[in-house]
Amino acid sequence: MFFLETAVALFIGAFLLTYLTIPKIIGVVQYKRLMDDPNQRSSHKAKTPTLGGIAFFYCLIFALFFIKDRAEHLEFIYMIPGLTILFIVGLKDDMVVLSPGSKLLAQILAISFILVNDSFGIESLNGFLNIYEIPYYLYLVIGGFLMLTIINSYNLIDGIDGLASIVGIVVMVIYTTIFYLSQEYFFALIAITMNACLMAFFGFNVSSRKKIFMGDTGSLIVGFIISILTLKFLALEPTAYGELPFLLENAPLIAISILIVPLFDTARVFTIRIANKKGPFSPDRNHIHHIFIDFWGLSHKQASFIIGCFNIIFVVLFIILGSKAKNTGMVIMLVSVVIFLAYIFFRYNYNFSTLKQKILLKRKIDALKGKKDTAPKSKKKNK
């Protein structure tokens, strides 16, 4: 079967499978009362079903079975153990909260299956910052750090309705295009499958009647797939870049631009937490999407749409620049943009203690207003 026919069949199949089974998952979750309870840092107010990522897992497993013949280095065999590990860990974390250390160990075990496959080996940075050949041990360090960063960054942006889905869809569309042009059809089909799942899930995630969260079950799986695609993108042979619309040496910067939203948000939040003498994984409401909602008064859909549009514009801009500009100039521009964004969002910083104080203060003000409104009425009645 030709690529286009396979891609269409895979997209329709994954979309329908996800769309038709999520209502069943919602029913089971509600029956078993496995709901996500809102707390002081939650952006939702009502108990909401979670575990939407279950549909992602079995859709990907089915897809790997049908496209396994396109994997030149048996990549599908190495992906299944990693997906299974993260699925189990995410499922348990959605029901019984796990410590960050436990999740990190599971992630390291999952990515180890990918790093040992020859298809993902990064042997050179092709002149990026004048770096060419890199030893195998350095590849393991770079690849491992890259995958862990992407998985956790994507997991952290899953904080409001639609955001993780929109960012994931943008990333998958870009990687589908890249791998199609570079004739890496196996990875293009993986991106298409993941995209279909996210599109089907998005409708439920932003719904007011049949809402469901992907939970860690979903965010860990999607982050894992994004990290695999990113590692493969950086490991492409130099000849594969011939049809891509940017210079070979700019590939690492293109990868960063594709993932700018989760990477920037994670770096900013970790910096704030460490500056406040807190652990990098300690919960708060300092994420960019929280700023849009809490400080700027936007809805979940509006915030998600704006962040998604920014991601697209940023990638297009860097691809255009990457077609001609040298990577040194692009690095300077990337750093400048990051510093500019960090400056804009610098003053939006609060933790649980200040948040609690603001909530209590607002309640006192509302109570005082209520007393003032009722006071004249009671005096009139006395007269």
Side-chain angles (χ1 to χ4, degrees):
M1 186 181 290
F2 295 109
F3 172 81
L4 183 59
E5 296 171 340
T6 306
V8 172
L10 207 59
F11 181 88
I12 294 174
F15 183 92
L16 291 177
L17 189 59
T18 304
Y19 185 81
L20 294 175
T21 55
I22 282 183
K24 306 297 181 183
I25 296 173
I26 293 174
V28 172
V29 169
Q30 289 176 336
Y31 179 75
K32 293 293 184 180
R33 297 180 180 178
L34 302 174
M35 313 284 277
D36 184 70
D37 294 326
N39 53 42
Q40 57 183 345
R41 66 178 296 270
S42 299
S43 296
H44 62 289
K45 299 179 181 179
K47 291 184 177 181
T48 306
T50 183
L51 305 179
I54 293 175
F56 300 168
F57 176 71
Y58 60 72
C59 279
L60 286 168
I61 296 299
F62 287 155
L64 289 173
F65 174 79
F66 288 109
I67 65 175
K68 62 181 184 296
D69 294 334
R70 295 180 179 269
E72 297 180 2
H73 298 273
L74 301 177
E75 291 93 343
F76 72 98
I77 294 179
Y78 294 81
M79 291 173 64
I80 291 175
L83 284 170
T84 305
I85 291 169
L86 294 181
F87 170 72
I88 295 172
V89 170
L91 192 64
K92 186 173 182 180
D93 188 55
D94 285 333
M95 293 187 291
V96 182
V97 178
L98 297 176
S99 66
S102 300
K103 293 201 292 186
L104 184 61
L105 287 175
Q107 292 168 17
I108 293 173
L109 181 60
I111 67 174
S112 63
F113 288 95
I114 303 300
L115 293 174
V116 297
N117 187 281
D118 294 337
S119 177
F120 301 98
I122 302 175
E123 299 177 354
S124 172
L125 292 183
N126 304 305
F128 175 69
L129 298 179
N130 293 322
I131 301 173
Y132 289 90
E133 294 184 4
I134 58 175
Y136 183 73
Y137 74 88
L138 189 58
Y139 147 69
L140 293 176
V141 174
I142 295 174
F145 177 77
L146 177 70
M147 294 189 73
L148 288 175
T149 301
I150 293 172
I151 292 171
N152 286 287
S153 297
Y154 187 82
N155 186 29
L156 288 172
I157 67 167
D158 184 24
I160 60 174
D161 298 342
L163 179 59
S165 301
I166 288 178
V167 171
I169 289 169
V170 170
V171 172
M172 293 304 160
V173 168
I174 296 168
Y175 275 137
T176 298
T177 306
I178 288 174
F179 288 119
Y180 174 75
L181 294 175
S182 59
Q183 297 183 359
E184 289 286 349
Y185 299 126
F186 173 78
F187 295 98
L189 292 172
I190 289 295
I192 288 171
T193 303
M194 193 74 262
N195 213 347
C197 294
L198 289 170
M199 287 183 177
F201 169 80
F202 176 77
F204 292 98
N205 189 215
V206 298
S207 171
S208 58
R209 295 185 298 111
K210 294 183 178 180
K211 183 184 293 296
I212 186 172
F213 299 149
M214 67 170 67
D216 275 19
T217 312
S219 62
L220 290 178
I221 288 175
V222 179
F224 183 60
I225 295 298
I226 292 175
S227 69
I228 289 174
L229 298 177
T230 303
L231 193 65
K232 179 60 183 178
F233 170 51
L234 297 176
L236 288 174
E237 295 292 334
T239 55
Y241 285 89
E243 298 298 324
L244 297 177
F246 49 82
L247 299 177
L248 174 62
E249 63 184 36
N250 289 328
L253 289 172
I254 299 301
I256 293 174
S257 69
I258 294 171
L259 303 169
I260 187 62
V261 169
L263 293 181
F264 173 76
D265 184 55
T266 301
R268 178 185 170 277
V269 168
F270 278 17
T271 302
I272 290 174
R273 290 171 182 173
I274 293 172
N276 289 330
K277 298 180 180 180
K278 295 181 177 293
F281 290 98
S282 58
D284 56 29
R285 286 184 66 86
N286 278 313
H287 291 279
I288 293 174
H289 50 266
H290 290 144
I291 292 172
F292 282 142
I293 294 172
D294 297 342
F295 290 95
W296 295 0
L298 300 180
S299 67
H300 287 213
K301 293 179 183 179
Q302 290 171 335
S304 299
F305 179 76
I306 290 173
I307 294 173
C309 288
F310 168 78
N311 199 347
I312 295 173
I313 293 171
F314 198 85
V315 173
V316 172
L317 175 63
F318 263 71
I319 289 177
I320 293 172
L321 292 175
S323 63
K324 295 181 180 180
K326 296 295 183 180
N327 58 73
T328 304
M330 290 187 65
V331 169
I332 294 173
M333 179 182 176
L334 177 63
V335 172
S336 301
V337 171
V338 170
I339 293 174
F340 175 72
L341 292 174
Y343 174 77
I344 290 177
F345 290 103
F346 176 75
R347 61 194 181 96
Y348 301 108
N349 168 20
Y350 56 86
N351 50 38
F352 272 155
S353 60
T354 56
L355 176 62
K356 190 175 181 180
Q357 290 172 5
K358 288 181 179 180
I359 293 173
L360 292 174
L361 180 61
K362 187 176 184 301
R363 288 177 179 174
K364 288 181 180 179
I365 293 173
D366 292 340
L368 290 173
K369 287 181 177 179
K371 289 180 180 179
K372 288 181 179 180
D373 292 338
T374 56
K377 295 179 180 179
S378 60
K379 289 181 178 178
K380 289 180 180 179
K381 288 181 180 179
N382 293 331
K383 289 180 179 179

Short mmCIF file of all heavy atoms in Angstrom, two decimals, residues 65-108:
data_model
loop_
_atom_site.label_atom_id
_atom_site.label_comp_id
_atom_site.label_asym_id
_atom_site.label_seq_id
_atom_site.Cartn_x
_atom_site.Cartn_y
_atom_site.Cartn_z
N PHE A 65 1.50 -2.31 14.93
CA PHE A 65 1.31 -3.64 14.32
C PHE A 65 1.12 -3.54 12.81
O PHE A 65 1.69 -4.32 12.05
CB PHE A 65 0.10 -4.33 14.96
CG PHE A 65 -0.24 -5.63 14.30
CD1 PHE A 65 0.48 -6.79 14.59
CD2 PHE A 65 -1.28 -5.72 13.37
CE1 PHE A 65 0.16 -7.99 13.98
CE2 PHE A 65 -1.60 -6.90 12.76
CZ PHE A 65 -0.87 -8.05 13.06
N PHE A 66 0.35 -2.54 12.36
CA PHE A 66 0.04 -2.43 10.93
C PHE A 66 1.16 -1.79 10.11
O PHE A 66 1.23 -2.00 8.90
CB PHE A 66 -1.26 -1.63 10.73
CG PHE A 66 -2.49 -2.38 11.14
CD1 PHE A 66 -3.19 -2.03 12.28
CD2 PHE A 66 -2.95 -3.46 10.39
CE1 PHE A 66 -4.33 -2.73 12.66
CE2 PHE A 66 -4.07 -4.17 10.77
CZ PHE A 66 -4.77 -3.80 11.91
N ILE A 67 2.03 -1.02 10.75
CA ILE A 67 3.09 -0.35 9.98
C ILE A 67 4.48 -0.89 10.33
O ILE A 67 5.49 -0.29 9.95
CB ILE A 67 3.06 1.17 10.21
CG1 ILE A 67 3.38 1.52 11.67
CG2 ILE A 67 1.72 1.76 9.80
CD1 ILE A 67 3.48 3.01 11.93
N LYS A 68 4.54 -2.01 11.01
CA LYS A 68 5.83 -2.55 11.46
C LYS A 68 6.77 -2.86 10.31
O LYS A 68 8.00 -2.79 10.47
CB LYS A 68 5.61 -3.79 12.31
CG LYS A 68 4.95 -4.97 11.59
CD LYS A 68 4.76 -6.12 12.53
CE LYS A 68 4.19 -7.35 11.80
NZ LYS A 68 2.85 -7.10 11.26
N ASP A 69 6.23 -3.19 9.14
CA ASP A 69 7.09 -3.53 8.00
C ASP A 69 7.85 -2.33 7.45
O ASP A 69 8.81 -2.50 6.69
CB ASP A 69 6.24 -4.15 6.88
CG ASP A 69 5.64 -5.49 7.29
OD1 ASP A 69 6.24 -6.16 8.16
OD2 ASP A 69 4.59 -5.87 6.73
N ARG A 70 7.44 -1.13 7.80
CA ARG A 70 8.12 0.07 7.33
C ARG A 70 9.27 0.48 8.24
O ARG A 70 10.00 1.41 7.94
CB ARG A 70 7.12 1.23 7.21
CG ARG A 70 6.05 1.00 6.14
CD ARG A 70 5.10 2.18 6.08
NE ARG A 70 4.08 2.00 5.06
CZ ARG A 70 4.19 2.40 3.79
NH1 ARG A 70 5.30 3.00 3.40
NH2 ARG A 70 3.23 2.21 2.93
N ALA A 71 9.42 -0.21 9.37
CA ALA A 71 10.50 0.10 10.31
C ALA A 71 11.77 -0.64 9.87
O ALA A 71 11.86 -1.85 9.98
CB ALA A 71 10.11 -0.30 11.72
N GLU A 72 12.74 0.11 9.37
CA GLU A 72 13.96 -0.50 8.82
C GLU A 72 14.85 -1.10 9.90
O GLU A 72 15.57 -2.07 9.66
CB GLU A 72 14.74 0.55 8.03
CG GLU A 72 13.99 1.08 6.82
CD GLU A 72 14.80 2.11 6.06
OE1 GLU A 72 15.95 2.38 6.47
OE2 GLU A 72 14.28 2.66 5.07
N HIS A 73 14.82 -0.53 11.10
CA HIS A 73 15.68 -1.01 12.19
C HIS A 73 14.86 -1.60 13.34
O HIS A 73 15.29 -1.58 14.48
CB HIS A 73 16.55 0.14 12.71
CG HIS A 73 17.48 0.69 11.68
ND1 HIS A 73 18.73 0.16 11.46
CD2 HIS A 73 17.35 1.73 10.82
CE1 HIS A 73 19.34 0.86 10.50
NE2 HIS A 73 18.51 1.81 10.09
N LEU A 74 13.68 -2.14 13.01
CA LEU A 74 12.79 -2.75 14.01
C LEU A 74 12.49 -1.79 15.17
O LEU A 74 12.40 -2.20 16.33
CB LEU A 74 13.42 -4.05 14.55
CG LEU A 74 13.73 -5.14 13.52
CD1 LEU A 74 14.41 -6.33 14.18
CD2 LEU A 74 12.45 -5.60 12.82
N GLU A 75 12.31 -0.53 14.84
CA GLU A 75 12.07 0.47 15.88
C GLU A 75 10.81 0.16 16.70
O GLU A 75 10.76 0.47 17.89
CB GLU A 75 11.93 1.87 15.27
CG GLU A 75 13.21 2.44 14.68
CD GLU A 75 13.36 2.14 13.20
OE1 GLU A 75 12.65 1.24 12.70
OE2 GLU A 75 14.17 2.83 12.55
N PHE A 76 9.82 -0.45 16.08
CA PHE A 76 8.56 -0.70 16.78
C PHE A 76 8.75 -1.63 17.97
O PHE A 76 8.06 -1.51 19.00
CB PHE A 76 7.51 -1.28 15.81
CG PHE A 76 7.77 -2.70 15.39
CD1 PHE A 76 7.12 -3.75 16.00
CD2 PHE A 76 8.66 -2.98 14.36
CE1 PHE A 76 7.35 -5.06 15.61
CE2 PHE A 76 8.89 -4.28 13.96
CZ PHE A 76 8.24 -5.32 14.59
N ILE A 77 9.70 -2.58 17.86
CA ILE A 77 9.96 -3.50 18.97
C ILE A 77 10.52 -2.76 20.17
O ILE A 77 10.23 -3.09 21.33
CB ILE A 77 10.93 -4.62 18.52
CG1 ILE A 77 10.25 -5.50 17.47
CG2 ILE A 77 11.38 -5.46 19.71
CD1 ILE A 77 11.13 -6.61 16.95
N TYR A 78 11.33 -1.74 19.92
CA TYR A 78 11.94 -0.97 20.99
C TYR A 78 10.98 0.08 21.57
O TYR A 78 11.18 0.53 22.70
CB TYR A 78 13.21 -0.26 20.48
CG TYR A 78 14.31 -1.22 20.10
CD1 TYR A 78 14.31 -1.86 18.86
CD2 TYR A 78 15.35 -1.49 20.98
CE1 TYR A 78 15.31 -2.74 18.51
CE2 TYR A 78 16.37 -2.36 20.63
CZ TYR A 78 16.35 -2.99 19.39
OH TYR A 78 17.34 -3.87 19.05
N MET A 79 9.97 0.45 20.80
CA MET A 79 9.02 1.45 21.28
C MET A 79 7.97 0.85 22.20
O MET A 79 7.53 1.51 23.15
CB MET A 79 8.33 2.11 20.07
CG MET A 79 9.24 2.99 19.24
SD MET A 79 8.44 3.60 17.73
CE MET A 79 7.15 4.63 18.44
N ILE A 80 7.57 -0.39 21.95
CA ILE A 80 6.49 -1.01 22.72
C ILE A 80 6.82 -1.12 24.22
O ILE A 80 5.97 -0.77 25.06
CB ILE A 80 6.11 -2.37 22.13
CG1 ILE A 80 5.43 -2.17 20.77
CG2 ILE A 80 5.18 -3.15 23.07
CD1 ILE A 80 5.12 -3.45 20.02
N PRO A 81 8.03 -1.59 24.63
CA PRO A 81 8.31 -1.64 26.07
C PRO A 81 8.26 -0.27 26.73
O PRO A 81 7.73 -0.12 27.83
CB PRO A 81 9.73 -2.23 26.13
CG PRO A 81 9.90 -2.95 24.85
CD PRO A 81 9.12 -2.17 23.84
N GLY A 82 8.83 0.75 26.06
CA GLY A 82 8.81 2.09 26.63
C GLY A 82 7.40 2.63 26.78
O GLY A 82 7.05 3.22 27.81
N LEU A 83 6.56 2.43 25.76
CA LEU A 83 5.17 2.86 25.83
C LEU A 83 4.43 2.15 26.97
O LEU A 83 3.65 2.78 27.70
CB LEU A 83 4.45 2.57 24.50
CG LEU A 83 4.75 3.52 23.34
CD1 LEU A 83 4.17 2.95 22.04
CD2 LEU A 83 4.18 4.90 23.61
N THR A 84 4.69 0.86 27.12
CA THR A 84 4.01 0.08 28.16
C THR A 84 4.41 0.55 29.55
O THR A 84 3.56 0.68 30.44
CB THR A 84 4.34 -1.42 27.99
OG1 THR A 84 4.00 -1.84 26.66
CG2 THR A 84 3.56 -2.25 29.00
N ILE A 85 5.70 0.80 29.75
CA ILE A 85 6.18 1.26 31.06
C ILE A 85 5.53 2.59 31.43
O ILE A 85 5.01 2.76 32.54
CB ILE A 85 7.71 1.40 31.05
CG1 ILE A 85 8.37 0.03 30.96
CG2 ILE A 85 8.21 2.14 32.31
CD1 ILE A 85 9.85 0.07 30.68
N LEU A 86 5.53 3.54 30.50
CA LEU A 86 4.97 4.86 30.79
C LEU A 86 3.45 4.81 30.92
O LEU A 86 2.86 5.58 31.69
CB LEU A 86 5.37 5.85 29.70
CG LEU A 86 6.87 6.16 29.63
CD1 LEU A 86 7.16 7.17 28.53
CD2 LEU A 86 7.37 6.69 30.97
N PHE A 87 2.81 3.91 30.20
CA PHE A 87 1.36 3.74 30.34
C PHE A 87 1.00 3.26 31.75
O PHE A 87 0.10 3.81 32.39
CB PHE A 87 0.85 2.74 29.30
CG PHE A 87 -0.57 2.32 29.51
CD1 PHE A 87 -1.61 3.20 29.26
CD2 PHE A 87 -0.88 1.04 29.96
CE1 PHE A 87 -2.94 2.83 29.45
CE2 PHE A 87 -2.19 0.66 30.16
CZ PHE A 87 -3.22 1.55 29.90
N ILE A 88 1.73 2.27 32.24
CA ILE A 88 1.45 1.73 33.58
C ILE A 88 1.74 2.77 34.65
O ILE A 88 0.95 2.96 35.58
CB ILE A 88 2.28 0.45 33.82
CG1 ILE A 88 1.83 -0.66 32.86
CG2 ILE A 88 2.16 -0.02 35.27
CD1 ILE A 88 2.71 -1.89 32.89
N VAL A 89 2.87 3.45 34.52
CA VAL A 89 3.24 4.47 35.51
C VAL A 89 2.24 5.63 35.49
O VAL A 89 1.80 6.11 36.54
CB VAL A 89 4.67 4.98 35.24
CG1 VAL A 89 4.98 6.20 36.11
CG2 VAL A 89 5.68 3.89 35.51
N GLY A 90 1.87 6.09 34.28
CA GLY A 90 0.90 7.17 34.18
C GLY A 90 -0.45 6.78 34.74
O GLY A 90 -1.13 7.58 35.41
N LEU A 91 -0.86 5.54 34.48
CA LEU A 91 -2.14 5.04 34.98
C LEU A 91 -2.16 5.03 36.51
O LEU A 91 -3.12 5.47 37.14
CB LEU A 91 -2.39 3.63 34.43
CG LEU A 91 -3.78 3.04 34.61
CD1 LEU A 91 -4.81 3.84 33.83
CD2 LEU A 91 -3.79 1.58 34.16
N LYS A 92 -1.07 4.55 37.09
CA LYS A 92 -0.98 4.51 38.55
C LYS A 92 -0.93 5.91 39.14
O LYS A 92 -1.55 6.19 40.17
CB LYS A 92 0.24 3.71 38.99
CG LYS A 92 0.31 3.51 40.50
CD LYS A 92 1.43 2.59 40.91
CE LYS A 92 1.44 2.38 42.42
NZ LYS A 92 2.53 1.47 42.85
N ASP A 93 -0.20 6.82 38.47
CA ASP A 93 -0.08 8.19 38.98
C ASP A 93 -1.41 8.92 38.92
O ASP A 93 -1.68 9.79 39.77
CB ASP A 93 0.98 8.95 38.18
CG ASP A 93 1.29 10.31 38.79
OD1 ASP A 93 1.65 10.34 39.98
OD2 ASP A 93 1.17 11.32 38.09
N ASP A 94 -2.24 8.61 37.94
CA ASP A 94 -3.56 9.24 37.85
C ASP A 94 -4.50 8.75 38.96
O ASP A 94 -5.42 9.47 39.35
CB ASP A 94 -4.20 8.95 36.48
CG ASP A 94 -3.58 9.78 35.37
OD1 ASP A 94 -3.07 10.88 35.68
OD2 ASP A 94 -3.59 9.34 34.22
N MET A 95 -4.26 7.53 39.45
CA MET A 95 -5.13 6.99 40.49
C MET A 95 -4.53 7.15 41.89
O MET A 95 -5.23 7.45 42.85
CB MET A 95 -5.40 5.50 40.20
CG MET A 95 -6.23 5.28 38.94
SD MET A 95 -6.72 3.58 38.67
CE MET A 95 -5.13 2.81 38.28
N VAL A 96 -3.22 6.91 42.00
CA VAL A 96 -2.50 7.08 43.27
C VAL A 96 -1.25 7.87 42.96
O VAL A 96 -0.36 7.38 42.27
CB VAL A 96 -2.12 5.73 43.90
CG1 VAL A 96 -1.41 5.95 45.23
CG2 VAL A 96 -3.34 4.85 44.07
N VAL A 97 -1.15 9.10 43.45
CA VAL A 97 -0.07 10.01 43.08
C VAL A 97 1.30 9.40 43.42
O VAL A 97 1.53 8.97 44.55
CB VAL A 97 -0.23 11.36 43.78
CG1 VAL A 97 0.93 12.28 43.44
CG2 VAL A 97 -1.56 12.00 43.39
N LEU A 98 2.19 9.38 42.42
CA LEU A 98 3.54 8.88 42.61
C LEU A 98 4.50 10.03 42.86
O LEU A 98 4.23 11.17 42.49
CB LEU A 98 3.99 8.10 41.37
CG LEU A 98 3.21 6.84 41.01
CD1 LEU A 98 3.73 6.27 39.70
CD2 LEU A 98 3.34 5.79 42.11
N SER A 99 5.63 9.72 43.46
CA SER A 99 6.65 10.74 43.70
C SER A 99 7.36 11.06 42.39
O SER A 99 7.44 10.21 41.49
CB SER A 99 7.66 10.25 44.73
OG SER A 99 8.39 9.15 44.21
N PRO A 100 7.91 12.28 42.24
CA PRO A 100 8.66 12.61 41.03
C PRO A 100 9.83 11.66 40.77
O PRO A 100 10.13 11.35 39.63
CB PRO A 100 9.16 14.04 41.32
CG PRO A 100 8.18 14.60 42.29
CD PRO A 100 7.78 13.44 43.14
N GLY A 101 10.46 11.19 41.84
CA GLY A 101 11.58 10.26 41.68
C GLY A 101 11.16 8.94 41.05
O GLY A 101 11.87 8.40 40.19
N SER A 102 10.01 8.42 41.47
CA SER A 102 9.51 7.16 40.90
C SER A 102 9.21 7.31 39.41
O SER A 102 9.53 6.44 38.61
CB SER A 102 8.25 6.71 41.64
OG SER A 102 8.51 6.52 43.01
N LYS A 103 8.58 8.43 39.05
CA LYS A 103 8.26 8.67 37.64
C LYS A 103 9.53 8.86 36.81
O LYS A 103 9.61 8.40 35.67
CB LYS A 103 7.35 9.88 37.50
CG LYS A 103 5.95 9.68 38.07
CD LYS A 103 4.95 10.64 37.49
CE LYS A 103 5.20 12.04 37.93
NZ LYS A 103 4.12 12.96 37.48
N LEU A 104 10.53 9.52 37.40
CA LEU A 104 11.78 9.74 36.69
C LEU A 104 12.50 8.43 36.41
O LEU A 104 13.03 8.22 35.31
CB LEU A 104 12.68 10.68 37.49
CG LEU A 104 14.00 11.08 36.83
CD1 LEU A 104 13.74 11.84 35.53
CD2 LEU A 104 14.83 11.94 37.78
N LEU A 105 12.51 7.52 37.38
CA LEU A 105 13.14 6.21 37.18
C LEU A 105 12.44 5.44 36.07
O LEU A 105 13.09 4.79 35.24
CB LEU A 105 13.12 5.41 38.49
CG LEU A 105 14.08 5.87 39.58
CD1 LEU A 105 13.86 5.06 40.86
CD2 LEU A 105 15.53 5.72 39.12
N ALA A 106 11.11 5.51 36.05
CA ALA A 106 10.35 4.83 35.00
C ALA A 106 10.65 5.43 33.63
O ALA A 106 10.78 4.70 32.63
CB ALA A 106 8.85 4.93 35.30
N GLN A 107 10.79 6.74 33.57
CA GLN A 107 11.11 7.40 32.30
C GLN A 107 12.51 7.00 31.80
O GLN A 107 12.70 6.77 30.61
CB GLN A 107 11.03 8.91 32.47
CG GLN A 107 9.62 9.43 32.70
CD GLN A 107 9.60 10.88 33.14
OE1 GLN A 107 10.58 11.60 32.99
NE2 GLN A 107 8.48 11.32 33.71
N ILE A 108 13.47 6.92 32.72
CA ILE A 108 14.82 6.51 32.34
C ILE A 108 14.81 5.09 31.78
O ILE A 108 15.47 4.79 30.77
CB ILE A 108 15.78 6.60 33.55
CG1 ILE A 108 15.97 8.06 33.95
CG2 ILE A 108 17.12 5.95 33.25
CD1 ILE A 108 16.75 8.26 35.23
#
